[in-house]
Amino acid sequence: MVDGPWGALWIAALENPGSRDSGHEARLNRARTYARRGAVSDIIVRKGEVTARVTGSGHRPYKVTLRIPELPEAEGDRLLEAWTDDLEAVAELSLGRLGEATARLAVAEDVALVPKPGLTHYECTCPDWGFPCKHAAAVSYQFARAIDARPDALLLLRGQHLNEVCDQAAVRRADREVAAAEQAAEEAELARAAAGRGVPAGEAFIRIRKEGGLPPLPPLPSPIATPARTGPFPETGHEDSLAAPGRLRMLADDAAHRAAEAYAHAVDAGRGAGERLWLDADPWLDTVRRAAQADDDPSLHGRLLNSSDQARAQLARTSVAWKHGGEPALAVLDGGQAPPRATEVAARERLLALRLPGRTGPPTLRRTGGRLQLVGEEIELRYGRDGHWYPFRKESGVWWPAGPPSADAAEALQGILKAT
């Protein structure tokens, strides 16, 4: 009786309700006859219900009502995300229709745009006891024949609007294409910058060791005839000198920390051979690292800001990112990368189970590129190349790193939600 995928899904739910009585098949056969001979008329579709009249054996047509709950917002958003990811589904929506691709994804995502057996409540003014009766089943068959040609009827029944769904899919697809282009440009720029920075010291030592070891040390210089003379050590308070005590103390503390990290790397056999030791000669990364370590000493932090060629605001924001996640956290400061589909689905399921302070329902989620935002909360997660979610909070119009990363999206948000 139907030629399209949506009608087939509707009839499958009608004919396979999970449990049936002895007269179920007979009622369906009678309903097919009603539908074929045009006994169904005056079909009206509204949000949550279909009404119609069926001419049966009585003197007056019977009034039939099919009541169906609206599609939950979370399921509708998940289905729209799946459609936006698929080129064939996007093509169908761009033409203002639902077809094979959109139906296939609805089944794959287990989103019951066509209600599953048991969700439809049938009402009829006839005296028949069957569920559904032959008149209600006839309306179902007739509606199944219509929805492939009129997908707006199916969407309206589940509380959606075809024009809005098509517009949202187009906007989301455009956002993803822009984000993908920006991500590709950013990765190309990072690759060019990395190529010009040389080889990290840890990798250089490993490479030399594989090639036969370090060359012999040069001979020591001859001892000087007389001891070298140095000027007087500056007193506390004379911070205008490059050898001021505070600056020397900061450099000595930093050298000790880096030496300890290098030693730990050398004795820890479980570490990867190519792991960086943070002996990079990049002045900007060096400044960021020291700023992150000096956040408990405002005077030292201030001197780092003054000595940096970068803007104060950039260094402050970047050092916060380093404090939470080291160098990998810097890669998501200007936007993360689009996560794999399975990773995003798992993250959404975890986030939709959260209950935000002061909110009764689950959060509303929106993804743009590598950002998964909690709409209305000024909070978002960014997906990094290391497979972790990085939490961010908007403050005075600027997105700031807000906590350590985690492979679990809900765990990454815990610290922010407790502070809210």
Side-chain angles (χ1 to χ4, degrees):
M1 293 184 65
V2 298
D3 298 322
W6 294 100
L9 290 173
W10 187 279
I11 289 178
L14 170 68
E15 296 181 347
N16 300 282
S19 61
R20 59 176 71 182
D21 53 73
S22 57
H24 181 78
E25 190 58 40
R27 290 195 304 274
L28 292 183
N29 288 332
R30 186 61 175 164
R32 296 186 191 102
T33 301
Y34 279 144
R36 281 194 300 269
R37 77 181 190 189
V40 180
S41 61
D42 299 335
I43 297 179
I44 299 175
V45 183
R46 304 183 183 88
K47 284 186 178 182
E49 70 173 27
V50 176
T51 60
R53 294 187 180 277
V54 180
T55 302
S57 58
H59 296 292
R60 296 180 179 180
Y62 298 112
K63 182 179 180 180
V64 175
T65 302
L66 277 58
R67 301 191 189 280
I68 297 168
E70 294 183 19
L71 190 68
E73 181 180 350
E75 288 196 26
D77 186 72
R78 180 157 57 90
L79 182 56
L80 184 57
E81 283 290 305
W83 285 347
T84 306
D85 280 340
D86 190 272
L87 290 177
E88 292 182 2
V90 169
E92 289 180 359
L93 294 173
S94 69
L95 299 175
R97 65 184 184 88
L98 303 180
E100 295 284 349
T102 46
R104 166 176 52 80
L105 289 169
V107 173
E109 293 291 325
D110 195 27
V111 175
L113 189 56
V114 171
K116 294 181 179 180
L119 283 182
T120 304
H121 180 71
Y122 302 94
E123 297 177 3
C124 183
T125 56
C126 76
D128 292 357
W129 53 265
F131 188 83
C133 69
K134 55 183 175 291
H135 311 104
V139 173
S140 282
Y141 279 119
Q142 195 68 28
F143 186 68
R145 296 173 62 181
I147 57 177
D148 285 303
R150 291 289 306 273
D152 55 326
L154 174 61
L155 288 170
L156 177 60
L157 178 62
R158 302 309 306 275
Q160 307 283 323
H161 294 279
L162 179 61
N163 290 339
E164 293 180 4
V165 169
C166 294
D167 290 345
Q168 289 182 38
V171 170
R172 294 191 186 195
R173 187 70 190 186
D175 287 345
R176 292 187 186 186
E177 291 175 353
V178 170
E182 292 176 349
Q183 181 70 23
E186 180 182 349
E187 290 179 353
E189 180 61 29
L190 290 175
R192 285 192 295 269
R197 275 168 36 199
V199 180
E203 296 179 15
F205 279 118
I206 292 171
R207 186 181 304 171
I208 291 173
R209 184 173 60 187
K210 290 181 178 179
E211 293 173 355
L214 297 172
L217 294 175
L220 293 174
S222 302
I224 57 176
T226 58
R229 293 182 178 273
T230 60
F233 195 81
E235 298 178 1
T236 302
H238 292 74
E239 297 297 323
D240 55 336
S241 169
L242 290 177
R247 295 178 181 176
L248 288 174
R249 186 179 303 108
M250 178 180 65
L251 292 173
D253 288 345
D254 182 59
H257 280 98
R258 297 175 76 180
E261 291 176 3
Y263 179 76
H265 177 86
V267 300
D268 187 353
R271 299 205 181 196
E275 185 174 345
R276 294 182 70 146
L277 301 179
W278 304 120
L279 301 178
D280 200 309
D282 188 323
W284 171 240
L285 288 182
D286 190 58
T287 302
V288 171
R289 179 182 54 78
R290 287 194 284 161
Q293 294 176 347
D295 60 347
D296 294 330
D297 189 335
S299 62
L300 295 183
H301 197 203
R303 281 196 294 275
L304 282 168
L305 289 172
N306 291 332
S307 65
S308 172
D309 292 333
Q310 306 291 331
R312 285 174 171 263
Q314 182 185 1
L315 178 58
R317 183 167 170 264
T318 309
S319 65
V320 171
W322 187 288
K323 180 181 178 182
H324 287 311
E327 190 180 22
L330 306 187
V332 298
L333 270 179
D334 296 320
Q337 66 175 17
R341 179 63 186 164
T343 300
E344 181 181 347
V345 169
R348 285 178 174 273
E349 291 178 353
R350 293 281 288 139
L351 295 175
L352 290 174
L354 292 177
R355 290 298 177 266
L356 303 179
R359 298 294 180 97
T360 57
T364 301
L365 304 177
R366 178 178 62 224
R367 179 164 76 77
T368 302
R371 306 180 180 197
L372 192 57
Q373 296 180 341
L374 277 64
V375 178
E377 303 297 333
E378 304 292 344
I379 293 173
E380 71 178 23
L381 292 173
R382 299 183 182 181
Y383 189 73
R385 298 185 187 90
D386 58 354
H388 286 68
W389 293 97
Y390 290 78
F392 278 73
R393 181 192 295 279
K394 182 178 281 189
E395 299 178 8
S396 302
V398 179
W399 287 101
W400 282 77
S406 175
D408 185 307
E411 182 179 313
L413 281 183
Q414 289 303 318
I416 301 181
L417 299 181
K418 290 178 181 178
T420 302

